[in-house]
Amino acid sequence: MLREITLGQYYQTDSVLHRLDPRVKIVGTLVFIASLFIANSPLGYGVAAVFLAVMIKLSHVPFQFIIRGMKAIFMLLIITMLFNLLLTPGEEVFHLWRLSVTKEGIRLALMMGIRLVFLVIGSSLMTLTTTPNNLTDGLEKLMGPLKVLHVPVHEIAMMMAIALRFIPILLEETDKIMKAQIARGARFDTGGIIDKARAMVPLLVPLFISAFRRAGDLAMAMEARCYHGGEGRTKMHPLAYEKRDALAYLLLALYLAVMILSRFVPVGGML
Amino acid sequence: MWDSPYCHLTGIDMSIILDHVNYIYDKDTAFERHALKDVNLQLQDGEFIGLIGHTGSGKSTLVQLLNGLLKPSAGAVYFDGADISDDDFDLKNLRASVGLVFQYPEHQLFETDVFQDVCFGPKNLGLSKKDAELRAFQALKQVGLKEEYFYQSPFDLSGGEKRRVAIAGVLAMQPKVLVLDEPTAGLDPKGREDILNMIAQLHKELHNTIVLVSHSMEDVADYVERIIVMNKGEVLYDAAPQEVFTHVEELEAVHLAVPEVTYIMRDLARAGIKVRTDVTTVEEAVEEILACYGR
Ligand SMILES: Nc1ncnc2c1ncn2[C@@H]1O[C@H](COP(=O)(O)OP(=O)(O)OP(=O)(O)O)[C@@H](O)[C@H]1O
Ligand SMILES: [Mg+2]
């Protein structure tokens, strides 16, 4: 039941995006997110949509699979759009009880909706096409220069890798413990808030104990293999840029340029 | 919808019927997994059954269907004549009647002391505090836990003791059918034997239905009266131990071994000594060999 959460999951298949250097994908995602905030016209969002569509096509990840991850943010999306729609002052279009829907409200709600959806799809595309290992390797490399400022780059990357690795494990564990307690007659879905909170105890206590046990085991296993931080640590598969990565950076720069230019092109007017 | 061989039987007093049951995890995704394929079984009241199979053969999936934690993707599971997938099916009653002890059940302990933890199940059944405590006390006695441990934190016990507490937690609900998923996993030989003897003892006293899941033939051969062998989600054999163990080669092909004595008897027979080969326990083997020499 909990396995339906696909946010942050890796999707195993072979595609250009899968083969790209993780650094390119991280930078690309950041550029894409930034571009969503640069865009201010239908033209801008149109370009972003085309870019995203091409990326999805290139990723070979089934569109339905990406959409499934969107379920997690559906409520957030609806609430954001509603607030923007109802609470933005401006030129009134129609009246709803004591709230007025304004032209600016509609515009803002649409814009926020599109931004949020694109943002989530864009970043899921990164995690869907990059293994957690690669992702953290990329991050560590990208943040490398910060070491000069004594930022514990390696430790941050390692923590991220472990956290990512533990998400599915803990989800599975939750599922198991929940079933075991249901078999003992526990109910997680009935009663008021207080009853529900109390019903969580038989789930949370074993879950925390198991998380601590696993953390302890992992620390022990790492120590047994002489892990002592990032100092002097080498990689079996060091990241190395290839031609396609250079090409990808070039395309990214081009995309960013188009997005910036779109601000100044009066096509469709200021929506 | 299904031309079931058991249709005419539903409604008669009998515990559980699985009728053309299929189970698929994560249907319609890249992770789709056909865990059970066309499983037909009938569990009679009072039977002591061993459920055996290699890792990933679908044992845990099957036992979760028995108490309604999972619903079949196709086919039907009947409990006392009622389909557990029906909207108006009484799942609460099913879970009270079919007690399921999970793999590594000690991981689900959560209360401040052993006694409270065992009370959790009976309390959920809606019993009064007094009745729940009485049952908890009986159950802890049944699993043979020393009284000095009753009011300790369950987390301070050894692995085997924790396992007993967890089993007691299900026993205290006094289920008609007791299902134990690999109750001996990760225990030492002595711990395994203790737990298995305890389960056999329970069966003798309570005459309840017991389903004992295991990797190892050796574990169950001495105790059960019927063995179900699973392979890749399908039921390979469903018969008495003596009969199942005659299929030595087939069992080895699915990564299962028959008990050591069965191998010895087979080798003796091949060496020309006229002994029966469907022997499954050491005692039986001793008798058989002695009889062969006219003693
Ligand atoms: N929660 C789940 N989600 C998805 N697939 C699962 C899940 N649980 C089991 N499976 C898959 O279903 C198949 C049967 O698993 P099951 O746990 O029933 O096997 P098992 O016989 O109990 O094995 P073991 O002896 O290792 O406990 C396996 O291929 C497994 O990967
Ligand atoms: Mg199992």
Side-chain angles (χ1 to χ4, degrees):
Chain A
M1 35 187 155
L2 289 163
R3 287 190 172 213
E4 291 197 355
I5 300 172
T6 57
L7 216 58
Q9 212 176 325
Y10 175 66
Y11 187 93
Q12 175 87 46
T13 178
D14 188 35
S15 77
V16 195
L17 280 199
H18 282 76
R19 270 174 275 142
L20 273 186
D21 191 287
R23 283 168 290 182
V24 181
K25 286 185 267 188
I26 295 170
V27 172
T29 306
L30 291 178
V31 165
F32 182 69
I33 291 173
S35 79
L36 291 177
F37 291 91
I38 292 171
N40 66 345
S41 66
L43 178 68
Y45 288 116
V47 175
V50 170
F51 180 77
L52 196 58
V54 171
M55 287 306 138
I56 291 172
K57 190 85 194 131
L58 283 179
S59 75
H60 291 182
V61 180
F63 188 58
Q64 274 177 347
F65 194 84
I66 299 173
I67 291 301
R68 197 169 309 154
M70 300 290 298
K71 270 189 203 157
I73 63 141
F74 189 70
M75 276 318 284
L76 181 71
L77 182 68
I78 295 293
I79 292 170
T80 312
M81 288 185 67
L82 264 185
F83 268 90
N84 276 303
L85 193 63
L86 298 177
L87 299 178
T88 314
E91 187 185 330
E92 189 172 297
V93 181
F94 63 88
H95 219 68
L96 211 66
W97 184 49
R98 283 167 60 188
L99 298 161
S100 58
V101 175
T102 62
K103 211 170 170 183
E104 285 78 4
I106 295 175
R107 181 181 160 271
L108 212 61
L110 264 180
M111 205 165 76
M112 292 309 269
I114 292 174
R115 269 185 193 165
L116 204 59
V117 170
F118 280 17
L119 197 144
V120 171
I121 293 184
S123 30
S124 341
L125 211 52
M126 172 177 75
T127 52
L128 282 168
T129 58
T130 320
T131 60
N133 265 342
N134 256 328
L135 200 60
T136 39
D137 271 4
L139 209 67
E140 190 175 348
K141 255 304 198 350
L142 276 178
M143 293 195 304
L146 291 179
K147 273 187 199 150
V148 184
L149 303 172
H150 296 290
V151 177
V153 171
H154 171 77
E155 282 71 17
I156 292 174
M158 184 55 100
M159 266 157 60
M160 225 186 88
I162 293 173
L164 282 174
R165 181 70 195 87
F166 267 59
I167 289 172
I169 293 179
L170 287 182
L171 278 178
E172 207 171 294
E173 192 90 8
T174 311
D175 198 54
K176 250 192 224 156
I177 297 170
M178 230 164 145
K179 278 182 178 166
Q181 305 299 22
I182 291 173
R184 292 214 276 166
R187 302 293 303 265
F188 293 105
D189 49 357
T190 49
I193 287 186
I194 296 188
D195 281 336
K196 270 190 186 149
R198 197 173 295 144
M200 293 309 277
V201 174
L203 173 63
L204 289 182
V205 172
L207 191 62
F208 269 95
I209 289 173
S210 135
F212 282 123
R213 190 184 55 236
R214 281 177 193 282
D217 288 353
L218 183 66
M220 192 88 82
M222 284 166 79
E223 212 143 81
R225 284 181 252 173
C226 304
Y227 176 78
H228 57 271
E231 203 69 35
R233 196 175 163 81
T234 54
K235 294 239 181 316
M236 180 142 141
H237 302 290
L239 292 178
Y241 281 125
E242 294 189 32
K243 228 188 215 152
R244 58 168 172 262
D245 299 311
L247 192 66
Y249 274 129
L250 209 71
L251 284 173
L252 261 181
L254 211 67
Y255 166 72
L256 191 62
V258 171
M259 288 302 277
I260 292 171
L261 278 179
S262 80
R263 280 182 79 91
F264 306 104
V265 179
V267 177
M270 300 289 282
L271 177 75
Chain B
M1 173 169 71
W2 299 87
D3 60 333
S4 149
Y6 302 122
C7 273
H8 61 289
L9 285 174
T10 54
I12 300 174
D13 173 48
M14 56 158 30
S15 303
I16 301 170
I17 295 173
L18 278 76
D19 180 19
H20 294 288
V21 166
N22 283 270
Y23 192 85
I24 302 169
Y25 282 106
D26 302 307
K27 208 171 158 72
D28 301 324
T29 72
F31 310 103
E32 181 170 306
R33 201 140 206 165
H34 208 140
L36 289 178
K37 295 170 200 150
D38 196 38
V39 172
N40 295 291
L41 288 173
Q42 190 174 331
L43 312 187
Q44 232 89 22
D45 277 341
E47 271 188 311
F48 193 171
I49 302 172
L51 180 61
I52 303 212
H54 187 55
T55 294
S57 57
K59 306 181 296 291
S60 299
T61 310
L62 181 61
V63 297
Q64 288 177 49
L65 284 158
L66 297 182
N67 81 340
L69 281 172
L70 299 177
K71 305 271 172 71
S73 310
V77 177
Y78 298 99
F79 175 72
D80 281 344
D83 186 337
I84 67 159
S85 305
D86 281 347
D87 291 333
D88 58 353
F89 182 81
D90 186 0
L91 269 176
K92 205 176 155 199
N93 174 40
L94 174 65
R95 294 196 179 129
S97 307
V98 181
L100 175 54
V101 180
F102 271 80
Q103 235 164 329
Y104 297 102
E106 56 273 24
H107 293 173
Q108 61 195 275
L109 302 174
F110 69 96
E111 274 287 4
T112 45
D113 69 49
V114 166
F115 196 72
Q116 289 302 319
D117 205 281
V118 178
C119 283
F120 181 66
K123 271 191 195 151
N124 285 330
L125 292 181
L127 293 176
S128 70
K129 190 164 182 266
K130 222 165 135 188
D131 287 339
E133 288 183 350
L134 182 64
R135 283 193 178 193
F137 196 79
Q138 286 172 340
L140 282 167
K141 280 278 168 206
Q142 277 168 340
V143 299
L145 195 79
K146 291 203 198 85
E147 248 170 81
E148 61 200 84
Y149 295 140
F150 283 19
Y151 302 100
Q152 284 191 11
S153 162
F155 306 111
D156 292 342
L157 303 181
S158 79
E161 288 156 357
K162 276 188 205 163
R163 181 88 39 106
R164 281 164 195 261
V165 174
I167 294 175
V170 174
L171 269 185
M173 297 169 76
Q174 302 190 345
K176 273 204 293 189
V177 180
L178 179 62
V179 183
L180 301 120
D181 196 349
E182 306 212 17
T184 59
L187 295 182
D188 59 33
K190 172 83 169 63
R192 295 161 82 102
E193 214 181 304
D194 284 352
I195 294 263
L196 290 171
N197 282 333
M198 177 202 96
I199 295 166
Q201 189 62 32
L202 279 175
H203 181 66
K204 262 198 208 121
E205 283 169 19
L206 308 174
H207 305 291
N208 52 354
T209 314
I210 294 189
V211 179
L212 180 59
V213 178
S214 176
H215 269 115
S216 143
M217 291 281 188
E218 207 103 24
D219 267 6
V220 300
D222 290 354
Y223 302 96
V224 303
E225 45 203 43
R226 172 180 169 195
I227 288 184
I228 298 168
V229 180
M230 302 282 302
N231 179 38
K232 298 194 179 131
E234 285 172 284
V235 176
L236 191 62
Y237 298 112
D238 176 6
Q242 288 80 2
E243 144 121 51
V244 170
F245 294 150
T246 55
H247 304 279
V248 180
E249 278 81 22
E250 292 92 333
L251 288 174
E252 282 178 346
V254 299
H255 309 285
L256 290 171
V258 299
E260 211 62 47
V261 286
T262 310
Y263 283 111
I264 293 176
M265 296 309 264
R266 189 186 58 165
D267 290 349
L268 284 176
R270 281 190 183 157
I273 300 167
K274 291 197 173 50
V275 288
R276 275 177 25 233
T277 52
D278 60 351
V279 168
T280 56
T281 66
V282 177
E283 290 77 29
E284 259 184 286
V286 170
E287 259 172 46
E288 180 66 23
I289 293 172
L290 286 178
C292 195
Y293 287 96
R295 287 209 235 160

